[in-house]
Structures are given as structure tokens and as C-alpha cells.
Amino acid sequence: MRLIVARCSVHYTGRLSTRLPEAVRLLMLKDDGTFMVWHDGGPSVKPQNWMTPPTVVEEDGDPLRRMIVRKRAGTTEDRLEIAVVEVLSDVRHDMGEAAALEKDGVERDLQEALAVAPERCGEGFRLVRREWPTDIGPVDLMCRDAADGWIAVEIKRVATIDAVEQLTRYLERIRRDPSLADCRGVLAAQHIKPQARVLAQARGLDCVEVDLAVLRGEREADLTLFAV
């Protein structure tokens, strides 16, 4: 990754036209072609301007006086032109291999609690293994049901469409083993987004909402009253 701190102005043309006046800014160039322009003012956590890969970066001057970042966007071209007045710092860092994203504490706690009580994910479920390996990552729980069928359980704090896609990919890999060809999928979460539930049902996946406090015995489950 290359990080350039420079006094510069930035002119963008493409779907619209914008200009950032001269100021000290951080220009971030990632090895994958991502380009971002940052500043140190205000509460925003987003860059002031950016381009996603693939991009082409052209540089003029030694010392650096101008950078042009281009990206094709259909029949048009997005273009960032940076006029550099002064370079304060220009460094490169080898970030090494990216570590996998770890689950947050709630998801780890949910996995541990459901491993002890897998029947909360489905009637008659019994745990076979936590972190069942596939070639694209581990499934949180692999269980069997009362009929001895296989069930892959993916656990989230909040289940979104991305969680449905993730479980779908896991099942596609698992089912390549003939002995697991009928493996079913269950998405377990403290909260499941409505869009995720619709997509999961369309793909034949079951959805289960679980309450970590109830699993831990810290409070009683809420009772639901049905009219007769």
C-alpha cells in the first residue's frame, strides 16, 4: 500500500464534476487498484473521493506534481486529476497477507451456546462438530436431526442477505460429497432481516431466531399468546 500526504487539489470528472480545493490530503493507493482521497477534518469515516479497481494511475514530475487516475465506466471514463503543490510524505507499506475476519463476541457466544443446545436450531438436532471445514471456510455447526439427516448451521448476530449467500455457498461445497448430498441449511441469528428471511425460504433454508440471554439461562423466554 502506498500512502502519500500532500498539499493538493483534486478535480473529478465523470458522471458529474466536482472539485476539492487545495489542502493537505492523504492519497491512498492499494495494490488492488483502489484509490482514495482522505482529509482530517469533520466526522466523516468515508474518503472524500475514491475509485474502485481496475484503475490506471499516471504520474508526472520528479518530485511529483500531478497524478491522474482513470477508470472506464461503460462508454464513459471516470477521471481524478490531482494537482500536487507539495509532497509531505510518500511511503509504501507491505501489509502482508490479510487475516480472515473474526466473528464478534456475540457470534462466538451464540455458537458456543448453540453447540451445547443444538436442539434450539431444530427439533432433535444433535451436534456433530463445530467449525466443520469446507474449502471456502468453516460452517459454524454441523448437526444431525432425528432422522439422521445432515444440517449445516450458520450463526450470525444479525442475519442479512449476505448471510444467506454465505450459507448457500457452504452448502454447495458440502453437497459435493455424495454422503452429504442431502445436507440442509439453517440460518440462526438473534435477528433475521426480512429480506434475508424471504431469500432463505426461497432457497429452502430454515431460519431460527435465538436469544442469547435465554440460551444462557439469564432470563425466561417470552411467552406468545394465541387467540383460540
Side-chain angles (χ1 to χ4, degrees), residues 111-156:
Q111 186 188 111
E112 292 173 0
L114 288 173
V116 174
E119 67 278 2
R120 297 297 183 97
C121 297
E123 186 176 354
F125 282 17
R126 64 185 188 279
L127 179 68
V128 176
R129 177 174 173 174
R130 289 178 59 185
E131 302 289 343
W132 180 279
T134 79
D135 56 0
I136 59 172
V139 177
D140 289 325
L141 303 179
M142 185 64 90
C143 301
R144 303 195 84 155
D145 60 19
D148 224 24
W150 290 95
I151 307 98
V153 181
E154 184 61 22
I155 300 167
K156 300 292 182 185

Side-chain angles (χ1 to χ4, degrees), residues 71-78:
K71 177 180 179 177
R72 296 297 299 178
T75 59
T76 62
E77 181 180 75
D78 289 340

Side-chain angles (χ1 to χ4, degrees), residues 149-169:
W150 290 95
I151 307 98
V153 181
E154 184 61 22
I155 300 167
K156 300 292 182 185
R157 182 176 63 85
V158 177
T160 63
I161 285 176
D162 286 344
V164 178
E165 297 288 0
Q166 182 180 4
L167 180 54
T168 300
R169 292 193 298 270

Side-chain angles (χ1 to χ4, degrees), residues 76-93:
T76 62
E77 181 180 75
D78 289 340
R79 179 185 178 100
L80 276 174
E81 185 167 349
I82 300 102
V84 179
V85 176
E86 180 185 10
V87 175
L88 304 177
S89 175
D90 186 350
V91 296
R92 294 179 182 271
H93 296 279

